[in-house]
Amino acid sequence: MNPIVAAASVVSAGLAVGLAAIGPGMGQGTAAGYAVEGIARQPEAEGKIRGALLLSFAFMESLTIYGLVVALALLFANPFAG
């Protein structure tokens, strides 16, 4: 494998994981803050808020997992290595 392609693959794999984690991390923090605020305002709606929060956490975390899959593909099944 060309050393430049190998180095670019490692750098892009790191960027893929790093950038894929920024958005969901910020979103999870914001969602958790608003969920706590909503539960504080309406304690009787805690079950519904918690259920929606956990479901949204799962969707947000799937974006980070997609970034990890892209990074692993670049590292171990590199389509640019030839």
Side-chain angles (χ1 to χ4, degrees):
M1 179 189 299
N2 187 352
I4 294 176
V5 172
S9 296
V10 171
V11 169
S12 60
L15 283 173
V17 172
L19 293 176
I22 289 174
M26 291 174 54
Q28 285 178 354
T30 303
Y34 283 123
V36 169
E37 182 181 334
I39 291 171
R41 288 184 186 204
Q42 291 185 321
E44 66 273 3
E46 177 193 0
K48 287 185 177 182
I49 294 172
R50 188 174 2 124
L53 179 67
L54 291 177
L55 183 64
S56 65
F57 277 173
F59 286 137
M60 284 185 246
E61 200 62 36
S62 69
L63 296 174
T64 306
I65 293 170
Y66 291 148
L68 178 65
V69 168
V70 168
L72 290 175
L74 284 173
L75 290 177
F76 297 113
N78 196 341
F80 302 112

